[in-house]
């Protein structure tokens, strides 16, 4: 079963909700979600044919330079959701509700979720299990699809004592399964499972009727998500073991900028081909001026000689 029904129609949360069935059962292709935070990254991931674009609150870390995700606000998230949505991607745009945007009251929660929808999201994501059921229900009551997020929930970094694998003992594993059941019963259309042992992810996947999307949850989930900057090798401050790097864009980009700097400093950039020759446009009186005359008279043949000292 293809993850989506058509290349042209925009993917919706209900399209995703029915893509249940891990690859081992041969019943569905695993879902693919990748984060994006701006128009260029959204165009790249959508052209690659992903099913969902997550405008994640990892924005705080991989784009804005913070050490955790707690620093972004609903306004920040809406700004970046809008940039992604402006590219009219085929993929479902999921807007991440940031820390404290759904913890205070259901009224605030619904307004914050609505802000992401008005910015262009087709669904929102929030972190946490049983504690978040009221928030999930309130958002669903406003007709906004909700994706859950269990296991390592980075917005709880202080409460969890760091970015650590979750569900490692029986009690913790049971709690994750119970939370997943609760979220699915509340109406979440999919659940992210972050940094949990594969056996726990498999148990959750086998238990809940909605797709699970793993990140550090092993291969038994119904789909996988990675952060754009991790999979392209742009972010290298943290390198969790679940990240597979498909490119070294960070290193390539640094090398490209180094070459540019060297070309500028040696006079090899810009070349004549990279220059507007305005001779025909300049008024006659300017052509006799020494400085401009140099530009006008420039010899198109030289492109890579260093500038005179
Ligand atoms: O914010 C994010 O990018 C996420 C993913 C790590 C799932 O929540």
């Amino acid at each position: 079963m293809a993850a989506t029904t058509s290349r042209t129609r925009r993917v919706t949360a209900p399209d995703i909700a029915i893509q249940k069935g891990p690859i081992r059962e041969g019943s569905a292709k695993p879902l693919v979600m990748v984060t994006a935070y701006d128009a260029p990254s959204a165009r790249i991931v959508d052209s690659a044919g992903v099913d969902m674009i997550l405008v994640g609150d990892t924005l705080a870390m991989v784009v804005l330079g913070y050490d955790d995700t707690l620093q972004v606000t609903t306004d920040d998230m809406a700004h970046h959701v809008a940039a992604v949505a402006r590219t009219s991607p085929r993929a479902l745009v999921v807007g991440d509700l940031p820390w404290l945007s759904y913890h205070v009251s259901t009224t605030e929660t619904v307004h914050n979720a609505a802000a992401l929808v008005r910015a262009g999201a087709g669904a929102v994501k929030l972190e946490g299990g049983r504690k978040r059921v009221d928030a999930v229900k309130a958002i669903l009551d406003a007709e906004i699809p909700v994706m859950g997020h269990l296991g390592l929930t980075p917005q709880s970094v202080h409460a969890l004592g760091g970015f650590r694998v979750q569900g490692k003992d029986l009690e913790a594993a049971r709690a994750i399964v119970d939370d997943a059941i609760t979220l699915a019963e509340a109406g979440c259309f999919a659940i992210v499972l972050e940094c949990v042992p594969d056996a726990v992810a498999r148990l959750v996947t086998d238990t809940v009727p909605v797709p699970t999307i793993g990140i550090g949850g092993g291969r038994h989930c119904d789909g996988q998500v990675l952060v754009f900057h991790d999979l392209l090798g742009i972010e290298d401050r943290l390198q969790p073991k679940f990240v597979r790097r498909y490119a070294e864009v960070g290193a390539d980009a640094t090398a490209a900028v180094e070459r540019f700097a060297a070309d500028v400093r040696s006079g090899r950039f810009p070349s004549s081909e990279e220059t507007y020759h305005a001779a025909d446009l300049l008024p006659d009186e300017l052509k006799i001026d020494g400085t401009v005359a140099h530009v006008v008279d420039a010899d198109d043949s030289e492109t890579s000689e260093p500038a005179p000292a």
Side-chain angles (χ1 to χ4, degrees), residues 42-288:
R43 284 198 194 96
I44 290 168
V45 299
D46 199 53
S47 305
V50 303
D51 301 301
M52 290 173 280
I53 299 176
L54 172 64
V55 187
D57 62 357
T58 41
L59 166 75
M61 299 174 78
V62 298
V63 175
L64 302 179
Y66 293 112
D67 289 334
D68 58 44
T69 60
L70 307 180
Q71 309 303 329
V72 282
T73 63
T74 303
D75 284 349
D76 295 328
M77 294 306 301
H79 181 72
H80 287 265
V81 167
V84 167
R86 236 172 257 136
T87 68
S88 302
R90 184 194 62 95
L92 173 66
V93 176
V94 181
D96 220 358
L97 282 166
W99 178 58
L100 232 53
S101 69
Y102 53 94
H103 305 68
V104 178
S105 74
T106 48
T107 309
E108 262 188 46
T109 299
V110 174
H111 278 126
N112 290 327
L116 299 193
V117 170
R118 288 204 167 123
V124 298
K125 176 169 84 58
L126 54 72
E127 298 181 3
R130 277 155 289 182
K131 275 199 256 181
R132 303 296 162 221
V133 165
D134 288 346
V136 170
K137 287 187 171 158
I139 299 169
L140 288 170
D141 270 356
E143 314 298 347
I144 301 169
V146 183
M147 175 180 278
H149 185 155
L150 296 172
L152 170 56
T153 45
Q155 291 172 13
S156 317
V157 60
H158 297 306
L160 297 175
F163 296 112
R164 300 167 196 279
V165 179
Q166 301 296 307
K168 289 204 291 189
D169 61 50
L170 193 59
E171 196 187 338
R174 276 209 184 110
I176 291 173
V177 177
D178 288 347
D179 277 344
I181 293 170
T182 308
L183 288 181
E185 284 176 353
C188 286
F189 71 95
I191 301 171
V192 169
L193 294 175
E194 179 164 353
C195 275
V196 295
D198 58 350
V200 175
R202 185 173 189 162
L203 189 56
V204 172
T205 301
D206 288 345
T207 306
V208 296
V210 295
T212 56
I213 315 293
I215 176 162
R219 65 191 185 87
H220 298 296
C221 297
D222 299 300
Q224 299 290 331
V225 53
L226 278 182
V227 168
F228 182 81
H229 294 64
D230 290 340
L231 88 82
L232 290 182
I234 300 173
E235 170 67 59
D236 52 14
R237 287 179 307 165
L238 287 178
Q239 294 195 17
K241 116 182 200 164
F242 58 77
V243 169
R244 187 180 293 178
R245 284 162 82 134
Y246 287 85
E248 294 299 337
V249 171
D252 287 353
T254 302
V257 176
E258 279 170 0
R259 289 203 304 278
F260 168 65
D263 281 354
V264 170
R265 288 176 183 140
S266 66
R268 288 193 300 270
F269 180 89
S271 68
S272 180
E273 287 76 18
E274 289 153 339
T275 302
Y276 295 107
H277 297 284
D280 296 343
L281 306 175
L282 289 176
D284 282 349
E285 55 275 20
L286 280 181
K287 289 182 188 168
I288 56 167

